[in-house]
Every structure is written in C-alpha cells, then in structure tokens.
Coordinates of all heavy atoms in Angstrom, one line a residue:
S1 N 12.6 17.4 -4.9 CA 12.4 16.0 -5.0 C 10.9 15.6 -5.1 O 10.1 16.4 -4.7 CB 13.0 15.2 -3.7 OG 12.3 15.6 -2.6
D2 N 10.6 14.5 -5.7 CA 9.3 14.1 -6.0 C 8.7 13.4 -4.8 O 9.3 12.4 -4.3 CB 9.3 13.1 -7.2 CG 7.9 12.9 -7.7 OD1 7.0 13.7 -7.4 OD2 7.7 11.9 -8.5
V3 N 7.6 13.9 -4.2 CA 7.1 13.4 -3.0 C 5.8 12.6 -3.4 O 4.9 13.1 -4.0 CB 6.7 14.5 -2.0 CG1 6.0 13.9 -0.8 CG2 7.9 15.3 -1.6
C4 N 5.7 11.3 -2.9 CA 4.5 10.5 -3.2 C 3.5 10.8 -2.1 O 3.9 11.1 -1.0 CB 4.9 9.0 -3.2 SG 6.0 8.6 -4.5
S5 N 2.2 10.6 -2.4 CA 1.2 10.8 -1.4 C 0.4 9.5 -1.4 O 0.3 8.8 -2.3 CB 0.4 12.0 -1.7 OG -0.4 11.8 -2.9
S6 N -0.3 9.3 -0.3 CA -1.2 8.2 -0.1 C -2.5 8.7 0.5 O -2.6 9.6 1.2 CB -0.6 7.2 1.0 OG 0.5 6.6 0.5
D7 N -3.6 8.0 0.0 CA -4.9 8.3 0.6 C -5.0 7.4 1.8 O -4.8 6.2 1.7 CB -6.0 8.0 -0.4 CG -6.1 9.0 -1.5 OD1 -5.6 10.2 -1.3 OD2 -6.5 8.7 -2.6
L8 N -5.5 7.9 2.9 CA -5.5 7.1 4.1 C -6.6 7.5 5.0 O -7.2 8.6 4.9 CB -4.2 7.1 4.8 CG -3.7 8.4 5.3 CD1 -4.1 8.7 6.7 CD2 -2.1 8.4 5.3
L9 N -6.9 6.6 6.0 CA -7.9 6.9 7.0 C -7.1 7.0 8.3 O -6.4 6.1 8.7 CB -8.9 5.8 7.1 CG -10.2 6.1 7.9 CD1 -11.0 7.2 7.3 CD2 -11.0 4.8 8.0
R10 N -7.2 8.2 9.0 CA -6.6 8.4 10.3 C -7.5 9.0 11.2 O -8.1 10.1 10.9 CB -5.3 9.3 10.1 CG -4.6 9.5 11.4 CD -3.4 10.5 11.3 NE -2.3 9.9 10.5 CZ -1.3 10.6 10.0 NH1 -1.2 11.9 10.3 NH2 -0.4 10.0 9.4
E11 N -7.8 8.4 12.4 CA -8.7 8.9 13.4 C -10.1 9.2 12.8 O -10.7 10.2 13.1 CB -8.1 10.2 14.1 CG -6.8 9.9 14.8 CD -6.1 11.1 15.4 OE1 -6.6 12.2 15.1 OE2 -5.1 11.0 16.0
G12 N -10.5 8.3 11.9 CA -11.9 8.4 11.4 C -12.0 9.4 10.2 O -13.1 9.6 9.7
K13 N -10.9 10.0 9.8 CA -11.0 11.0 8.7 C -10.1 10.6 7.6 O -9.1 10.0 7.8 CB -10.6 12.4 9.2 CG -11.4 13.0 10.2 CD -10.9 14.4 10.7 CE -11.8 14.9 11.8 NZ -11.2 16.1 12.4
K14 N -10.6 10.9 6.3 CA -9.8 10.5 5.1 C -8.9 11.7 4.8 O -9.3 12.8 4.8 CB -10.8 10.2 4.0 CG -10.1 9.5 2.8 CD -11.0 8.9 1.9 CE -10.3 8.1 0.8 NZ -11.1 7.5 -0.2
W15 N -7.6 11.3 4.5 CA -6.6 12.3 4.2 C -5.8 11.9 3.0 O -5.8 10.7 2.7 CB -5.6 12.4 5.4 CG -6.1 12.7 6.7 CD1 -6.6 11.8 7.6 CD2 -6.3 14.0 7.3 NE1 -7.0 12.5 8.8 CE2 -6.8 13.8 8.6 CE3 -6.0 15.3 6.9 CZ2 -7.1 14.9 9.4 CZ3 -6.2 16.3 7.7 CH2 -6.8 16.1 9.0
S16 N -5.1 12.8 2.4 CA -4.1 12.5 1.4 C -2.9 13.2 1.8 O -2.8 14.4 1.9 CB -4.6 13.0 0.0 OG -3.6 12.7 -1.0
I17 N -1.9 12.4 2.2 CA -0.7 13.0 2.8 C 0.6 12.4 2.2 O 0.5 11.3 1.5 CB -0.6 12.8 4.3 CG1 -0.5 11.3 4.7 CG2 -1.8 13.5 5.0 CD1 -0.1 11.1 6.1
S18 N 1.7 13.0 2.3 CA 2.9 12.5 1.8 C 3.3 11.2 2.6 O 3.0 11.1 3.8 CB 4.1 13.5 1.9 OG 4.5 13.6 3.2
T19 N 3.8 10.2 1.8 CA 4.1 8.9 2.4 C 5.1 9.0 3.6 O 5.2 8.2 4.4 CB 4.6 7.9 1.4 OG1 5.7 8.5 0.7 CG2 3.5 7.6 0.4
E20 N 5.9 10.1 3.6 CA 6.9 10.3 4.6 C 6.2 10.5 6.0 O 6.8 10.3 7.0 CB 7.8 11.5 4.3 CG 8.5 11.4 3.1 CD 9.1 12.8 2.7 OE1 8.7 13.8 3.2 OE2 10.0 12.8 1.8
K21 N 4.9 10.9 6.0 CA 4.2 11.3 7.2 C 3.3 10.2 7.7 O 2.5 10.4 8.6 CB 3.5 12.6 7.0 CG 4.4 13.7 6.8 CD 3.7 15.0 6.6 CE 4.6 16.2 6.4 NZ 4.0 17.4 6.2
L22 N 3.4 8.9 7.1 CA 2.6 7.8 7.6 C 3.0 7.5 9.0 O 4.2 7.5 9.4 CB 2.8 6.6 6.7 CG 2.3 6.7 5.3 CD1 2.7 5.5 4.5 CD2 0.8 6.8 5.3
V23 N 2.0 7.1 9.8 CA 2.3 6.6 11.2 C 1.6 5.3 11.4 O 0.7 4.9 10.6 CB 1.8 7.6 12.2 CG1 2.6 8.9 12.1 CG2 0.3 7.8 12.2
L24 N 2.0 4.6 12.4 CA 1.4 3.3 12.8 C -0.1 3.4 13.0 O -0.5 4.5 13.5 CB 2.1 2.8 14.1 CG 1.8 1.4 14.5 CD1 2.3 0.4 13.5 CD2 2.4 1.1 15.9
D25 N -0.8 2.5 12.5 CA -2.3 2.4 12.6 C -3.0 3.3 11.5 O -4.2 3.3 11.5 CB -2.8 2.8 13.9 CG -2.4 1.8 15.0 OD1 -2.3 0.6 14.7 OD2 -2.3 2.2 16.2
D26 N -2.3 3.9 10.6 CA -2.9 4.6 9.4 C -3.5 3.4 8.6 O -2.8 2.4 8.4 CB -2.0 5.4 8.6 CG -1.7 6.7 9.2 OD1 -2.4 7.2 10.1 OD2 -0.7 7.4 8.7
L27 N -4.7 3.6 8.0 CA -5.3 2.7 7.1 C -5.1 3.3 5.7 O -5.6 4.4 5.4 CB -6.8 2.5 7.4 CG -7.1 1.9 8.7 CD1 -8.6 1.7 8.9 CD2 -6.4 0.5 8.9
I28 N -4.3 2.6 4.8 CA -4.0 3.1 3.5 C -4.9 2.5 2.4 O -5.1 1.3 2.4 CB -2.5 2.8 3.2 CG1 -1.6 3.3 4.3 CG2 -2.1 3.3 1.8 CD1 -0.2 2.8 4.2
F29 N -5.4 3.3 1.5 CA -6.2 2.9 0.4 C -5.2 2.8 -0.8 O -4.7 3.8 -1.2 CB -7.3 3.9 0.1 CG -8.3 4.0 1.2 CD1 -8.1 5.1 2.2 CD2 -9.3 3.1 1.4 CE1 -9.0 5.2 3.2 CE2 -10.2 3.3 2.5 CZ -10.0 4.3 3.4
L30 N -5.1 1.6 -1.4 CA -4.2 1.4 -2.5 C -5.0 1.2 -3.8 O -6.0 0.5 -3.7 CB -3.3 0.2 -2.3 CG -2.3 0.4 -1.1 CD1 -1.6 -1.0 -0.8 CD2 -1.2 1.4 -1.4
K31 N -4.5 1.7 -4.9 CA -5.2 1.5 -6.2 C -4.1 1.1 -7.2 O -2.9 1.2 -7.0 CB -6.0 2.7 -6.6 CG -5.1 4.0 -6.8 CD -6.1 5.2 -7.0 CE -5.3 6.4 -7.1 NZ -4.5 6.8 -5.9
T32 N -4.6 0.6 -8.4 CA -3.7 0.1 -9.4 C -2.7 1.2 -9.8 O -3.1 2.4 -9.9 CB -4.5 -0.2 -10.7 OG1 -5.4 -1.3 -10.3 CG2 -3.6 -0.7 -11.8
G33 N -1.4 0.9 -9.8 CA -0.4 1.8 -10.2 C 0.4 2.4 -8.9 O 1.4 2.9 -9.1
D34 N -0.2 2.2 -7.8 CA 0.4 2.7 -6.5 C 1.6 1.9 -6.1 O 1.6 0.6 -6.3 CB -0.6 2.7 -5.4 CG -1.6 3.8 -5.4 OD1 -1.5 4.7 -6.2 OD2 -2.6 3.7 -4.6
Q35 N 2.6 2.5 -5.6 CA 3.7 1.8 -5.0 C 3.3 1.7 -3.5 O 2.9 2.7 -2.9 CB 5.0 2.6 -5.1 CG 6.2 1.8 -4.6 CD 7.5 2.4 -4.9 OE1 7.6 3.5 -5.4 NE2 8.6 1.6 -4.7
V36 N 3.5 0.5 -2.9 CA 3.2 0.3 -1.5 C 4.2 1.1 -0.7 O 5.4 0.8 -0.8 CB 3.2 -1.2 -1.2 CG1 3.0 -1.5 0.3 CG2 2.3 -2.0 -2.1
P37 N 3.8 2.0 0.1 CA 4.7 2.9 0.8 C 5.3 2.4 2.1 O 6.3 2.9 2.6 CB 3.8 4.1 1.2 CG 2.4 3.5 1.4 CD 2.4 2.4 0.4
A38 N 4.8 1.3 2.6 CA 5.4 0.7 3.8 C 4.9 -0.8 3.9 O 4.0 -1.2 3.2 CB 4.8 1.4 5.1
D39 N 5.6 -1.6 4.7 CA 5.1 -2.9 4.9 C 3.7 -2.9 5.6 O 3.6 -2.2 6.6 CB 6.1 -3.7 5.8 CG 7.4 -4.0 5.1 OD1 7.5 -3.7 3.9 OD2 8.3 -4.5 5.8
V40 N 2.7 -3.5 5.0 CA 1.4 -3.4 5.5 C 0.7 -4.7 5.4 O 1.2 -5.7 4.7 CB 0.5 -2.3 4.7 CG1 1.1 -0.9 4.8 CG2 0.5 -2.7 3.2
K41 N -0.5 -4.8 6.0 CA -1.3 -6.0 6.0 C -2.6 -5.7 5.3 O -3.2 -4.6 5.6 CB -1.6 -6.6 7.4 CG -2.2 -7.9 7.4 CD -2.4 -8.5 8.8 CE -1.0 -9.0 9.2 NZ -1.0 -9.8 10.4
V42 N -3.1 -6.6 4.4 CA -4.4 -6.4 3.7 C -5.5 -6.6 4.7 O -5.6 -7.7 5.3 CB -4.5 -7.3 2.5 CG1 -5.9 -7.2 1.9 CG2 -3.4 -7.1 1.5
L43 N -6.3 -5.6 5.0 CA -7.4 -5.7 5.9 C -8.7 -6.1 5.2 O -9.6 -6.7 5.8 CB -7.6 -4.4 6.7 CG -6.5 -4.0 7.6 CD1 -6.9 -2.7 8.3 CD2 -6.2 -5.1 8.6
E44 N -8.9 -5.7 4.0 CA -10.1 -5.9 3.3 C -9.9 -6.0 1.8 O -9.1 -5.3 1.2 CB -11.0 -4.7 3.6 CG -12.4 -4.8 3.1 CD -13.2 -3.6 3.5 OE1 -13.5 -3.5 4.7 OE2 -13.5 -2.7 2.7
G45 N -10.6 -7.0 1.1 CA -10.5 -7.1 -0.3 C -9.3 -7.9 -0.8 O -8.6 -8.6 0.0
T46 N -9.1 -7.9 -2.1 CA -7.9 -8.5 -2.7 C -7.2 -7.6 -3.6 O -7.8 -6.6 -4.1 CB -8.3 -9.8 -3.5 OG1 -9.2 -9.4 -4.5 CG2 -9.0 -10.8 -2.6
V47 N -5.9 -7.9 -3.9 CA -5.1 -7.0 -4.7 C -4.0 -7.8 -5.3 O -3.6 -8.9 -4.8 CB -4.5 -5.8 -3.8 CG1 -3.5 -6.4 -2.8 CG2 -3.9 -4.8 -4.7
E48 N -3.6 -7.5 -6.5 CA -2.4 -8.1 -7.1 C -1.3 -7.1 -7.1 O -1.4 -5.9 -7.3 CB -2.7 -8.5 -8.6 CG -3.6 -9.7 -8.7 CD -3.6 -10.2 -10.2 OE1 -2.9 -9.7 -11.0 OE2 -4.4 -11.2 -10.4
V49 N -0.1 -7.7 -6.7 CA 1.1 -6.8 -6.6 C 2.2 -7.5 -7.4 O 2.3 -8.7 -7.6 CB 1.5 -6.6 -5.1 CG1 0.5 -5.8 -4.4 CG2 1.8 -7.9 -4.4
N50 N 3.2 -6.6 -7.8 CA 4.4 -7.0 -8.4 C 5.5 -6.7 -7.4 O 5.7 -5.5 -7.1 CB 4.6 -6.3 -9.7 CG 5.8 -6.7 -10.5 OD1 6.9 -6.6 -9.9 ND2 5.6 -7.1 -11.7
E51 N 6.2 -7.7 -7.0 CA 7.3 -7.5 -6.0 C 8.7 -7.6 -6.7 O 9.7 -7.9 -6.0 CB 7.2 -8.5 -4.9 CG 5.9 -8.4 -4.1 CD 5.8 -9.4 -3.0 OE1 6.5 -10.5 -3.0 OE2 5.0 -9.2 -2.1
S52 N 8.8 -7.4 -8.0 CA 10.0 -7.6 -8.8 C 11.2 -6.8 -8.3 O 12.3 -7.2 -8.3 CB 9.8 -7.4 -10.3 OG 9.4 -6.1 -10.5
L53 N 10.9 -5.6 -7.7 CA 12.0 -4.8 -7.2 C 12.6 -5.4 -6.0 O 13.8 -5.2 -5.6 CB 11.5 -3.4 -6.8 CG 11.2 -2.4 -7.9 CD1 10.6 -1.1 -7.4 CD2 12.4 -2.1 -8.7
L54 N 11.8 -6.2 -5.3 CA 12.3 -6.9 -4.0 C 12.8 -8.3 -4.3 O 13.8 -8.7 -3.7 CB 11.1 -7.0 -3.0 CG 10.4 -5.6 -2.7 CD1 9.2 -5.9 -1.9 CD2 11.3 -4.7 -2.1
T55 N 12.2 -9.0 -5.2 CA 12.5 -10.5 -5.3 C 13.1 -10.8 -6.6 O 13.7 -11.9 -6.8 CB 11.2 -11.3 -5.2 OG1 10.3 -11.0 -6.3 CG2 10.5 -11.1 -3.9
G56 N 13.0 -9.9 -7.6 CA 13.5 -10.3 -9.0 C 12.5 -11.1 -9.8 O 12.7 -11.3 -11.0
E57 N 11.4 -11.6 -9.1 CA 10.4 -12.3 -9.8 C 9.4 -11.3 -10.5 O 8.9 -10.4 -9.8 CB 9.6 -13.2 -8.8 CG 10.5 -14.3 -8.2 CD 10.9 -15.4 -9.2 OE1 10.1 -15.7 -10.1 OE2 12.0 -15.9 -9.1
S58 N 9.1 -11.6 -11.7 CA 8.2 -10.6 -12.5 C 6.7 -11.0 -12.4 O 5.9 -10.3 -12.9 CB 8.6 -10.5 -13.9 OG 8.6 -11.8 -14.5
D59 N 6.4 -12.2 -11.8 CA 5.0 -12.6 -11.7 C 4.2 -11.7 -10.7 O 4.7 -11.3 -9.7 CB 4.9 -14.0 -11.1 CG 5.6 -15.0 -12.1 OD1 5.7 -14.7 -13.3 OD2 5.9 -16.1 -11.6
N60 N 3.0 -11.5 -11.1 CA 2.1 -10.7 -10.2 C 1.5 -11.7 -9.1 O 1.2 -12.9 -9.5 CB 0.9 -10.1 -11.0 CG 1.3 -9.0 -11.8 OD1 2.4 -8.4 -11.6 ND2 0.6 -8.8 -12.9
L61 N 1.4 -11.3 -7.9 CA 1.0 -12.1 -6.8 C -0.3 -11.6 -6.3 O -0.5 -10.4 -6.1 CB 2.0 -12.1 -5.7 CG 3.4 -12.6 -6.0 CD1 4.4 -12.3 -4.9 CD2 3.4 -14.0 -6.4
S62 N -1.3 -12.5 -6.1 CA -2.6 -12.2 -5.5 C -2.5 -12.2 -4.0 O -2.0 -13.1 -3.4 CB -3.6 -13.2 -6.0 OG -4.9 -12.8 -5.5
K63 N -2.9 -11.1 -3.4 CA -2.9 -11.0 -2.0 C -4.3 -10.7 -1.5 O -5.1 -10.0 -2.1 CB -2.0 -9.8 -1.5 CG -0.6 -9.9 -2.0 CD 0.2 -10.9 -1.2 CE 1.7 -10.9 -1.7 NZ 2.6 -11.4 -0.7
S64 N -4.7 -11.3 -0.4 CA -6.1 -11.1 0.2 C -6.0 -10.8 1.7 O -4.9 -10.7 2.2 CB -6.9 -12.3 -0.1 OG -6.4 -13.5 0.4
Q65 N -7.1 -10.7 2.3 CA -7.2 -10.4 3.7 C -6.3 -11.2 4.6 O -6.2 -12.4 4.5 CB -8.6 -10.6 4.2 CG -8.9 -10.1 5.6 CD -10.4 -10.1 6.0 OE1 -11.2 -10.2 5.1 NE2 -10.6 -10.0 7.2
G66 N -5.4 -10.5 5.3 CA -4.5 -11.1 6.2 C -3.1 -11.2 5.6 O -2.1 -11.4 6.3
D67 N -2.9 -11.1 4.3 CA -1.6 -11.2 3.6 C -0.8 -9.9 3.8 O -1.4 -8.8 4.0 CB -1.8 -11.5 2.1 CG -2.3 -12.9 1.9 OD1 -2.2 -13.8 2.7 OD2 -2.8 -13.1 0.8
E68 N 0.5 -10.0 3.8 CA 1.3 -8.8 3.9 C 1.7 -8.3 2.5 O 1.9 -9.1 1.6 CB 2.6 -9.2 4.7 CG 2.4 -9.4 6.1 CD 3.6 -9.6 6.9 OE1 4.3 -8.5 7.1 OE2 4.0 -10.7 7.2
L69 N 1.8 -7.0 2.4 CA 2.4 -6.3 1.2 C 3.6 -5.6 1.7 O 3.7 -5.1 2.8 CB 1.4 -5.3 0.7 CG 0.0 -5.7 0.3 CD1 -0.8 -4.5 -0.1 CD2 0.0 -6.8 -0.7
F70 N 4.6 -5.6 0.8 CA 5.9 -5.1 1.2 C 6.2 -3.8 0.5 O 6.0 -3.6 -0.7 CB 7.0 -6.1 0.9 CG 6.8 -7.4 1.7 CD1 6.3 -8.5 1.0 CD2 7.0 -7.5 3.1 CE1 6.1 -9.7 1.7 CE2 6.8 -8.7 3.8 CZ 6.3 -9.8 3.1
S71 N 6.8 -2.9 1.3 CA 7.2 -1.6 0.8 C 8.1 -1.7 -0.5 O 9.0 -2.6 -0.5 CB 8.1 -0.8 1.8 OG 8.5 0.4 1.4
G72 N 7.7 -1.0 -1.5 CA 8.5 -1.0 -2.8 C 7.8 -1.9 -3.8 O 8.1 -1.8 -5.0
S73 N 6.8 -2.7 -3.4 CA 6.1 -3.4 -4.5 C 5.0 -2.5 -5.1 O 4.7 -1.5 -4.5 CB 5.4 -4.7 -3.9 OG 4.6 -4.4 -2.8
F74 N 4.5 -2.9 -6.2 CA 3.5 -2.1 -7.0 C 2.2 -2.8 -7.1 O 2.2 -4.0 -7.3 CB 4.0 -1.8 -8.4 CG 5.1 -0.7 -8.4 CD1 6.4 -1.0 -8.3 CD2 4.7 0.6 -8.5 CE1 7.4 0.0 -8.3 CE2 5.7 1.6 -8.5 CZ 7.0 1.3 -8.4
V75 N 1.1 -2.1 -7.0 CA -0.2 -2.7 -7.2 C -0.5 -2.7 -8.7 O -0.4 -1.7 -9.4 CB -1.3 -1.8 -6.5 CG1 -2.7 -2.3 -6.7 CG2 -1.0 -1.7 -5.0
T76 N -0.8 -3.9 -9.2 CA -1.0 -4.1 -10.6 C -2.5 -4.3 -10.9 O -2.9 -4.2 -12.1 CB -0.2 -5.3 -11.1 OG1 -0.5 -6.5 -10.4 CG2 1.3 -5.1 -11.0
S77 N -3.3 -4.7 -9.9 CA -4.7 -4.9 -10.1 C -5.4 -4.8 -8.8 O -4.8 -5.3 -7.8 CB -5.0 -6.2 -10.8 OG -6.3 -6.4 -10.9
E78 N -6.6 -4.3 -8.7 CA -7.3 -4.2 -7.4 C -8.6 -5.0 -7.5 O -9.1 -5.3 -8.5 CB -7.5 -2.8 -7.0 CG -8.1 -1.9 -8.1 CD -8.2 -0.5 -7.7 OE1 -8.8 -0.2 -6.7 OE2 -7.6 0.4 -8.4

C-alpha cells in the first residue's frame, strides 16, 4: 500500500514520517499538493485548501492563523 509521509517538528527535531505515526502536538509543515493528514490548526502563515472531498464545494478556501484544516483536504497554495 502507498504510505504518505509528512514533514514535522517533534520534540524540537524535524522529521519525515508516515502520516500513520502522527501524534498529538506534532507540528506539521504543509506545502502545495499535500493532503492534510489530520484535523489541524494553522499556527503560522496562510494557506489555501480545497475541501471538495469533504464538502463537495470546489472553491479554494484561504485559511490563516487560528483556522482549522480538515483531514482529507488538499493544499492548493501556500
């Protein structure tokens, strides 16, 4: 099976691990084309996501600090 990986910060170190091994408090770095691996909150910066798999709406949504991103959505612009 195809395993997705995420770049993240855990305990002060940067890692690239399979999304199955994410734990609470991991800080995930997302880039254009990434699928959001879990429900997360934007801590820094802005990002555009497509939530069409979840909502059926094809519009890209702009998300910024404090906004939630939902598992299954895709990053369309950073």
